[in-house]
Amino acid sequence: MLICLSIGVGISFISIESPAKERTGFVIESKENYFIVMSNCEKLYVRNYNNEFEIGDYLKIQGEKQTLEFTTLESSFDFGKYLNKKGINYEFECQSVSYKWKNFVRLRAFRKWFISHFNEETQSTVKSMFFGENSSGNLVNNLNDLHLNRFASLSGLYIYFFIEIIEKVFHRFLKEKHIKVITILFLASYFIITFPKFSIFRILLMQCISWTNKYIFKNKLTFLSIIGVAAISCLLLDFHNAYQDSFILGFGIPTLVYFLNGYTSRFKRKLWRKAVVVIGIYLAFIPFEIKYHNSLSVFLLLNQLLLSPIFMLFDLFSLISFFGIPIYDFINWGNNVLVHLTNFLLKGFLTST
């Protein structure tokens, strides 16, 4: 499956338009009501309600190719523009679809099984944060109203927290070199199931390059070089990644923090150094807040400081349950606590714009 996807995605920067009414291609992204197929080096959007196709399925589809057209209300999410940024400019109005080859690994089935362990409210949160699916729930809506939905989903802070815990658990038993391999294996399995969530892939790629640099090339690459190699690798796979917010923030924030740490090293107090870094990250998020909300929350920084540690814990425990530890009731309780907390913040305490 991964070999087929790599070939398909790797040549995605080539655009070959074909008017054929019958196509074959690999599914490279699959959601509840649609899938994206790579056919003749071209990405096509295919509506399919109650979609059961999986990433890696090789399909034969018949129908008509047409330009994407979606109605967008003022201040609403522009789905057409979202697809354009991913290099998808056409919809294939499908009349029939059949398998040429069926991927035996049914990842969406595993996702549904995992999500089914939570109550309805928590399910919407997990779908949004873990799998990047559009969902509507109290917590998801509250985060949107607090201008924190993008920060929570794109930052990937909980993954770094998870990596740190793995390293602390195994450091007494294994060498650092082997601990890093275990971390990479965990991230790889997580990425496969959440594919094509870019933030997970970016962190996995950075970990692989860092490991190679340290244990094979003996630290010949600087931190900025590692970021550069990872970013260029992502663009070689698909240059449309450059248009994704997760790409801009994912590589921009670490670069910004690197330079800020160099600047703040002159400060004697650790508190001042951290404050400058936090404010710098906050300023970096402002353009994205204005882009998505057409306004600026005066208390965005304070909201981030209050909620980020709590969300890191919530996401961490959710990730632990993802790897088989049955703490679903505890996560349901945590989601309920976060709903009440964000409700409190939305009652006028920290919502001025």
Side-chain angles (χ1 to χ4, degrees), residues 151 157 223 252-267 269-286 301 304-305 308:
F151 178 79
L157 292 175
F223 179 73
I253 294 298
T255 303
L256 174 64
V257 171
Y258 175 83
F259 284 112
L260 288 176
N261 284 334
Y263 173 76
T264 59
S265 61
R266 67 189 71 181
F267 298 155
R269 294 188 178 183
K270 188 177 181 180
L271 180 62
W272 283 111
R273 295 198 295 269
K274 287 189 174 182
V276 171
V277 172
V278 169
I279 293 173
I281 295 175
Y282 164 72
L283 293 175
F285 267 93
I286 287 179
L301 177 59
Q304 289 177 352
L305 293 175
S308 291

Side-chain angles (χ1 to χ4, degrees), residues 72-258:
T72 303
L73 301 176
E74 186 176 359
S75 300
S76 298
F77 176 65
D78 191 336
F79 186 62
K81 188 175 182 179
Y82 164 78
L83 291 175
N84 292 152
K85 284 186 174 182
K86 300 180 76 171
I88 304 165
N89 299 308
Y90 294 97
E91 174 182 356
F92 198 84
E93 188 173 344
C94 193
Q95 297 171 354
S96 66
V97 57
S98 59
Y99 289 102
K100 296 277 289 182
W101 179 79
K102 188 175 182 179
N103 178 17
F104 62 89
V105 181
R106 312 309 287 173
L107 298 178
R108 294 185 71 244
F110 177 84
R111 290 188 190 184
K112 290 182 178 179
W113 174 83
F114 171 66
I115 292 174
S116 68
H117 290 89
F118 304 107
N119 60 39
E120 185 175 352
E121 173 60 34
T122 307
Q123 285 182 13
S124 65
T125 305
V126 173
K127 285 181 181 179
S128 176
M129 291 191 177
F130 273 69
F131 303 120
E133 297 181 9
N134 292 327
S135 61
S136 179
N138 289 328
L139 184 55
V140 174
N141 293 335
N142 286 353
L143 285 174
N144 184 63
D145 292 338
L146 287 168
H147 298 194
L148 289 174
N149 54 332
R150 295 283 164 179
F151 178 79
S153 61
L154 295 179
S155 62
L157 292 175
Y158 69 95
I159 301 176
Y160 290 109
F161 195 18
F162 179 69
I163 292 173
E164 185 176 347
I165 288 179
I166 290 180
E167 292 177 350
K168 287 185 177 180
V169 168
F170 287 101
H171 84 281
R172 293 185 179 181
F173 313 103
L174 298 171
K175 295 180 179 179
E176 181 183 9
K177 179 179 181 179
H178 300 136
I179 295 174
K180 295 290 186 182
V181 172
I182 292 174
T183 300
I184 290 172
L185 291 176
F186 269 110
L187 288 175
S189 61
Y190 184 39
F191 166 68
I192 290 172
I193 297 173
T194 58
F195 185 89
K197 192 170 182 181
F198 183 80
S199 60
I200 313 298
F201 174 70
R202 171 181 52 81
I203 296 173
L204 172 61
L205 183 60
M206 288 283 290
Q207 291 291 312
C208 291
I209 295 174
S210 296
W211 187 93
T212 303
N213 177 55
K214 184 171 184 177
Y215 298 107
I216 296 180
F217 296 116
K218 307 302 180 183
N219 291 320
K220 291 183 179 179
L221 297 178
T222 64
F223 179 73
L224 289 181
S225 296
I226 292 173
I227 292 178
V229 170
I232 292 172
S233 299
C234 290
L235 295 179
L236 289 175
L237 285 173
D238 187 346
F239 77 91
H240 295 100
N241 285 327
Y243 302 115
Q244 308 303 314
D245 294 339
S246 54
F247 179 92
I248 298 170
L249 288 170
F251 291 112
I253 294 298
T255 303
L256 174 64
V257 171
Y258 175 83

